Each structure stands twice: as structure tokens, then as C-alpha cells.
Amino acid sequence: MARYNHQEVEKKWQKIWEENETFKTSSDYSKPKFYALVEFPYPSGEGLHVGHPRPYTALDVVARKRRMEGYNVLFPMGWDAFGLPAENYAIQTKIHPAIVTERNVNRFKEQMKSLGFSFDWSREVNTTDPNYFKWTQWIFLKLFEKGLAYKKEMPINWCPRCKIGLANEEVVDNGCERCGHPVETRVKNQWMLKITEYAERLIDDLEQVDYIERVKIQQRNWIGRSEGADVTFQIKDADQTLTVFTTRPDTLFGATYMVISPEHPVLEELQERIENLEEVRAYQEEARKKSEFERAELNQEKTGVRVEGLMAINPVNGQEITIWVSDYVLMSYGTGAIMAVPGHDQRDWEFAAKFGLPIVEVVAGGDVTKEAYTQTETGTMVNSGFLNGLDVASAKQKITAWLEEKGLGVPKVNYKLRDWVFSRQRYWGEPIPLVHCEKCGWVAVPEEELPLRLPDVENYEPTDTGESPLAKIRDWVETACPACGGPAERETDTMPQWAGSSWYFLRYVDPHNDGALAGKEHLDYWMPVDWYNGGMEHTTLHLLYSRFWHKFLYDIGVVAQPEPYLKRTSHGMILGENNEKMSKSRGNVVNPDDVVAEYGADTMRMYEMFIGDFEKSVPWSTDGVRGCKRFLDRVWKLKDSVKPGDSYSKELEAKMHQTIKKVSHDYESLKFNTAIAALMTLLNDINEVGSINQAEMKTFLILLNPVAPHITEELWEILGFGGMLNEQSWPTYDEEKTIARTIAIGVQVNGKVRGDVTVNIDDPQEVAREKVMANSNIQRALAGKTIVKEIYVPGRIYNIVVK
RNA sequence: GCCGGGGUGGCGGAAUGGCAGACGCUACGGACUUAAAAUCCGUUGGGCUAAGCGCCCGUGAGGGUUCGAGUCCCUCCCCCGGCACCA
């Protein structure tokens, strides 16, 4: 008997699939469609790592199953190929990032092919391909046209030694990732996208989609909706007012002072009135010098100074209250000013305690002289004039109505979500297709001139001033204004890596279209994506950005649905054998090529699916890989004991139906590990029975095929079952037949198992009872006791309660 | 601090309120072999045991509901993830 030669067999089938275009997506749009999507990788120089194939295999399993269920399946792959590593490599070696990228793509592709994924490679996309980023630029221009792109002074991370702007992930412990020098912030005028305009829809529409709960929760946290009111406080003897945002207008009577952010404009507007201007200015300066990081630091002692000469008037009781400046109030959230309610807010309490400010209790229940009382959901209002005696919820309603009526406040919803900084001072990204003209301002590059390509440069390093290397290519920068024809300069910032990945799933449906990002009939048929799996690390940025772009494209009529993804799931990380994150420096990296060479792609795929709970992190285990290899070797051996038969045998019938049900269900619900366990159990049962017939073998091979496609095709062919396995239909089960006719159930006495009996599933209780009472163990357990009650759950348990 | 998800053998992990530990790994014992590897068979939560059946304990801790709890409820501890001077 020939031993299973995985290298030969896997190569053979990969070649057949490629030549036959087996997994090419059909253009028959009368069929039901299924669009399965996995996140396309950044093709790094490291090559594929065993973490990559986990989600790919998972959706490959689903895609293969769907094809056998008669769906037209779109399961594509591509490359998110702009990005820092290729650029940094270019800086060091002077090799053009495009060359490095191509090399890396080829390697990734080869590795993926060796794993037998059923991607339709004819639809491969690459974000760095001008035919692709032409449309990335086009979308940006549409955003610009609709006023959703604007320029704003924003800080960047700046390493003064490398003279380079750094992405947040390149800042490690407040130092530069490459040289360790402390990172400074520099303010740069940058392109921003108004994602905040979509905040409400991004949060509300989560209700329409089937995302795993933790993804929805993270998105909601990130967007951070909070409902409250804007309330206006008059400044005494001045025209100016201070508006604050509060979620607790009910506590207005407890507002004993106000705090404004050091950047608050009123400090400029009323500077003549400020008696301690020097002190205030010094504080502003100090706050400005603190890095973002320092300012965000937790639990630091509150600092601040009183703005002398200015008083505010609490609109509910006319009381004059002091105004303070403190950096715990952020200009970037709400209005940059707060009313301080030290009795019921931890931060305000700390501030008031430090500066000896009055603390008034307005919700009964705590002791505000000791700490802020914040458990106020159920409290009763006190010291609050016309709100006294009300519970918090009704007080909120009453005061909000009162404020509105008096014109002192309006209900308001605020979001933590900030606009998207869309500029990068780098070479290896999509050029932003805008031109600046002295006369006309920012002007879009005409659509017919897209794609706006990257010029060749000699040096990939950013300039000393932090401009992108493009700024030095004067004959690229200097151009004519598309509007007036006068001299103008191109924008030299490029787009962030998030740009290309914000719409790639649309391009797959019609990847070679020259006239549109994709044709309407293709978009209408394929969109939305039916199932998108990706890493949790992309939950807040990529997922949100791409939903934002899709909603925008929906608004301008490019796509027909407001949401791009019907379903979103997420996989856990694969750790090294030592339970630590896999990394070169830890020396625990497992290379998928080695696993494929030694054990085969099928074993690799199977192990990746069997390794544990799909949604959780899990350490790699070489022993576990061997276990899967052993299983496949035993499957291989089955071919020598297949007997004729076109229906399931008596011995295995129930087991076959049970397994079809279990495997079919588990493949759909991310429980690949238990699906495989069920197949292992079935194999054990087959070996116990001692033989398998053709009908059983066919079903077994089809069920196993999505996980182990090569060996199952080979066996299908060897056994002469006809056609190719991938052309077969997914097996069905009969619910009736999943239930074994006779079954051993446990018998309990007072809830403790005292034995088991074999009963027919449809035995009435009396028959079951006879069998139970005939059991000697049960007789012994019942001896001398009085039976109080008997519970019989057919197929489950027989419990006897005794005294 | 707020919001999620968890805690089950030596390990990865299974269990619609119904025989906890499926399945795999590891370890141990046996068969095959000159030997080893591979393969096959058996055992593998802990303890007690008259060795016969069997009994006791056991799903982070403590209470509760139930004929019956890993699963439901309450209190607490620990781990992982997200958000966070966000008013």
C-alpha cells in the first residue's frame, strides 16, 4: 500500500484547479451569490506567517462549502501594498518600493497557493497599482467636492534626529522607533476627512448588521456617543458667554465654578479684563509644552489657575461663580469649557478639594465632603430649587425643558470620534490629487488626469522640514492650475495606508474596469459582502473608515446599500509554542512553508482549524500538527476497506446523519474545531465497525473536503467516484435519522448517577422504568428508601428522588 | 473608573439546565522490530477501595434556585480585551 505522498498529491491538485479555473467566480448572475472576504495583507518582506492562514482557511472552508451548495462564490485576495516597511527599506537600500513590493507579493502569493486556498486569482487587486489607486484618488476627489476633506493644523509625531514624521505605531515609549530619540510634536497643516459627520449613522446602523458583539461594542466605544445638553453661562459684565456641554444638566444647582481649556478663545477675547493675565499666560504656555502623551496621562494631580477678574453666572440660581483654566478640560471635546459639579464628579471634586472651592450636594445619598458621589442613578435631588425631591431622570427632563424654554440651553449629542487625519508626509502612498493655486486656492486634479502617479525620486527620505520627499521633485510639484492655468503647486502629502483598504472590496467585484471603480451591475449583484472576517486590531480604524467611505459612496449613488458588510467575525491570534506573541526577536516563529513541506497543506489547514476556539488566541503546538497528520493518514488508509453500497449501513446510519448535521452547522458558526472533532469521532466509529461503504465514504470525503481539499480529491479520484469532488453537492441529513433508536441514558438517584440503562428512544416511561428497576446498582441505591418522585427525560436522564 | 469576554485535567479545548472532561496532544504500559522511528492496542481529573461491584471529591471562591447547575440568580477574587481627565 502506497503511503500518502502529500507533496506530490497537493501539487497535482493545485495544478488541476488552476488549469481548470475551478474556483473562478462565475458570471452567471442568476445564481444566488455569496461574497466571502478576508482582510488582504500587507506583503511584508517576512513572508506569510502561521497567523495569516487562520482566517484564510476559515473562510476558504465556508467558500468551498457554499460552492457545493450551489452558490456563485466570490472569494478574492489582494495586496494592501502601500506602507512604511517598503519605504523604510527603500530609504536604506535605494531600491524602489515598487520593486520590493512586487517581490514580496510574489512570495506571498506562492505561499498562499501552496496552501490550496480557493481564491479567484484573476481578481487580484493591489493598492499600489495606478489602475487601482486611480479610484482611490477619485473617491478622495468626491469627498473633497462634497466638502468632506479640509485642511487643518494638526500635530504630527516628529523625530528631530531622523528628521522624519512618525506614525503613531512608530512611537515607542514616547521615543522614535528607529533611533530612540524622544519624539516631539510638530504642527502641520494636514488634510482631514469629516468622518465625524457620519458619527451618528456609523453608530446607529450597527443595528442593521450582523457583527460579533465585541466588534459592535468596540465601535460604539470608539465613536463614543454621549447625550446631554449645551448650557450657556453669562460672563458677568461682559457680552461674552461660556457654553458648556454636560450630560448632567440636572446637577446645575451644584455647579459651583467653571473650568475652561487653556486653548479657550475667551482668554484672548477678554484678556484686558483678566487681572492675573501673566499667570494665565504662563499656565497656557506650560500646557502647550506638555506632549499629548503627558496630558493624557492618568491620575496626575490636577493643575490650574483662577481667571481673576472674570465671573460667570449660574443660570439656574443667578449665583456668581469663579472661572478657572485647567488642562483637564480639552478644547477638542464638547465646547472646551465645563461647569464643575464637584459634589458629583470625581475630577471636579479633586480640583475643588485642591483649590478649596465650594462643594454642594445636589443628589442625596453620599457624603460629598469625603468624595464625589457618582452613584446617582437612583438618587433624589436636594439643594436644587425647583428640582428638589425629583429623581435624577425626571430632574433631567424638567431642567432640559426649562433651559430650552428660557433659551439657556439645548439638548446636544457629542461624539468622541475625531476627524480622520488623512495626510502622510511620505513617498510610498497615493498622491493626494490636489493643486494649490495662489489665486484659486485648492483645486482638484481633473478626473481624466487620474491616476496621478508618483514621480521617481532618488531619495526616499522626508525633507528636513518634515515635508514628503515629493516636495523636492520640483518639476512634479510645479504645475498649472487646472482652473485658471496659472502657476500652481501640487500637494506633496500622500494618503495613509487606510485609504486603499477602505474600498478594496468594491474593486474585487469588477477589478479591471477602466471607466468606474466597478460596474453597477457587478456592485448590485455582489454587494454587500456576505461575510467579512478580520482581526480585532482593525475593528476601530479600518472597519470604521471603510464603513464611512461606503456610506459616502452610498450617498453619492455609487453603491446601493448603506453598509458594506453584512456579517463581521474575528479570529484569535496564533502564539508561539512558548505562549508568547510570535516574533523574530523571541525566536518562536513558525514558518508555514516548513509545515507544508513536512506535513502538507491539508495538515496545516486542518491544524489551523483544529487548534482551538477560532475566536481566541492560542499557542502553536507541533505535537498538535502531528495529530492532524495522523488523522489524515488514517483517512488515507480507509480507501483499502471501502465496500460497495449506495446507502448508509445500519451500523453507521445515525452517526452519518449526526455528523453531517454537526459539521454543516459548525462550519457556519466558527466552530471548526468541533466540526473536525466530529469527523475524528466518525472515523473512530468507522474503524470500530471495521468497514465503510461507498456512500459513507463519499459523504465523509465531502465533509472533510473544505478543510483538507487535496487528499479528499485524490481519494475521490482513486476510488472512482466519478467527476471531481469539488463538483459534488453538499450532503443533506434527515433530522429523524440523527436520533439513534437505542440509547444509553444515565440513571440518577437524588441527582447522583448510579448507573445507566439502554432504552429505546420511544419507550414510554413505564417501559424505561422497568429497565431502570431491573438494574442491580439502582436496586441497591434504592434499598430501604421511599420513592418520592421520578423524572424521565427521554434520551437524557432518568432521575429518582427518594427519602 | 466605565464597558465587554473569560476562569473546566499535565496542555489545546468539548458540553440545547440532564452521565463533566467529547476530540486531539502529552505521559505511561503493551504489540511489532536486532534496535529505534513510524504504526497499532490499552490506560491517563484527584482520592478511597475488601480489587468485586463500587464509594467520595471535583468546572476560580462563597451563597442561592432546581428532582438535577460548568450552564440560571446574588456576592466576591483573578485573567484578557476595549474606552478613558470625553464633562
Side-chain angles (χ1 to χ4, degrees), chain A residues 377-554:
Chain A
E377 294 312 307
T378 54
T380 303
M381 305 308 297
V382 294
N383 299 322
S384 292
F386 60 89
L387 299 178
N388 279 338
L390 294 176
D391 61 86
V392 167
S394 1
K396 247 183 217 175
Q397 275 182 2
K398 188 160 181 183
I399 188 77
T400 307
W402 185 89
L403 287 166
E404 259 194 297
E405 192 194 309
K406 305 264 174 191
L408 295 168
V410 284
K412 180 78 195 280
V413 179
N414 263 318
Y415 298 93
K416 281 187 239 174
L417 185 70
R418 304 293 156 82
D419 276 341
W420 175 5
V421 184
F422 200 68
S423 288
R424 296 295 123 96
Q425 293 71 41
R426 296 294 185 132
Y427 173 76
W428 192 228
E430 301 87 345
I432 291 178
L434 292 175
V435 167
H436 187 74
C437 166
E438 286 294 329
K439 258 199 290 186
C440 311
W442 285 104
V443 180
V445 169
E447 259 179 50
E448 55 279 10
E449 284 177 30
L450 299 183
L452 174 59
R453 289 166 195 263
L454 285 165
D456 280 329
V457 301
E458 310 225 318
N459 207 330
Y460 299 92
E461 279 172 58
T463 62
D464 291 351
T465 58
E467 299 298 313
S468 127
L470 297 179
K472 287 179 293 192
I473 314 298
R474 295 314 298 175
D475 58 351
W476 184 82
V477 172
E478 288 163 18
T479 184
C481 170
C484 70
E489 296 204 341
R490 292 190 190 280
E491 171 60 64
T492 59
D493 282 355
T494 52
M495 299 189 195
Q497 201 183 359
W498 306 112
S501 59
S502 289
W503 72 281
Y504 73 112
F505 48 90
L506 297 175
R507 189 63 176 171
Y508 283 138
V509 310
D510 186 17
H512 308 296
N513 196 319
D514 282 337
L517 59 81
K520 185 145 176 55
E521 58 158 322
H522 304 292
L523 287 169
D524 286 351
Y525 176 72
W526 285 113
M527 289 301 293
V529 173
D530 292 281
W531 187 341
Y532 189 19
N533 185 86
M536 282 311 285
E537 68 275 23
H538 293 130
T539 301
T540 47
L541 300 180
H542 162 64
L543 208 57
L544 215 50
Y545 291 155
S546 58
R547 289 182 59 220
F548 160 46
W549 275 32
H550 197 265
K551 282 183 181 303
F552 170 71
L553 293 172
Y554 171 70

Side-chain angles (χ1 to χ4, degrees), chain A residues 641-649 691-697 721:
Chain A
S641 54
V642 178
K643 299 202 162 50
D646 48 20
S647 63
Y648 303 146
S649 64
S691 73
I692 180 168
N693 72 25
Q694 290 168 329
E696 290 153 359
M697 187 65 175
F721 287 155

